[in-house]
Amino acid sequence: VQLQASGGGLVQAGGSLRLSCIASGDIFRINDMGWYRQAPGKERELVATITSGGLRKYGDFVKGRFTISVDNAKDTVYLQMNSLRPEDTALYYCNVDVQVSPHDDQDYWGQGTEVTVSS
């Protein structure tokens, strides 16, 4: 299974970005999908997750600015980020829990897409 993340870039404070992460490969079913981020010198933290049933969870810092969504037909998870702040600058990673067979699920990470927010 491969995860291909895209959509990062440089944006001014207050701007928006939309991240995408496409899962491909030997996938029986996708379970949970999510986004995490890691800023220089800091630990990786949860940004947003969504379960196969559509239950969403966000990091406390999101405060209504980000929205996670999925396109099940395309095995793709999105992160719409609005009202971006300089402190949102980080490398953003997608994470997918994949059911590779009826009795085996595995956790995969994308390569990361860089988000830089200038003040």
Side-chain angles (χ1 to χ4, degrees):
V1 175
Q2 297 81 40
L3 300 182
Q4 181 65 46
S6 61
L10 173 64
V11 64
Q12 289 187 333
S16 299
L17 285 173
R18 189 191 193 207
L19 307 184
S20 302
C21 179
I22 303 172
S24 62
D26 192 11
I27 299 172
F28 179 73
R29 185 182 67 242
I30 290 180
N31 296 324
D32 302 346
M33 306 181 83
W35 291 92
Y36 293 74
R37 71 183 189 183
Q38 187 167 18
K42 295 188 176 181
E43 294 186 353
R44 190 173 296 190
E45 62 180 348
L46 180 147
V47 178
T49 60
I50 183 167
T51 68
S52 58
L55 184 64
R56 295 171 170 81
K57 179 180 178 180
Y58 294 96
D60 291 341
F61 59 86
V62 170
K63 298 186 186 303
R65 300 179 298 131
F66 300 172
T67 302
I68 189 170
S69 62
V70 296
D71 184 332
N72 292 316
K74 297 180 179 179
D75 290 339
T76 301
V77 60
Y78 303 97
L79 183 69
Q80 177 66 44
M81 303 188 294
N82 300 324
S83 302
L84 284 161
R85 305 165 179 168
E87 53 265 39
D88 294 318
T89 295
L91 196 58
Y92 283 69
Y93 296 91
C94 60
N95 173 260
V96 178
D97 181 69
V98 177
Q99 200 77 27
V100 295
S101 71
H103 304 289
D104 183 22
D105 68 289
Q106 296 183 18
D107 199 54
Y108 293 90
W109 290 89
Q111 83 283 7
T113 184
E114 190 167 5
V115 172
T116 303
V117 184
S118 62
S119 57

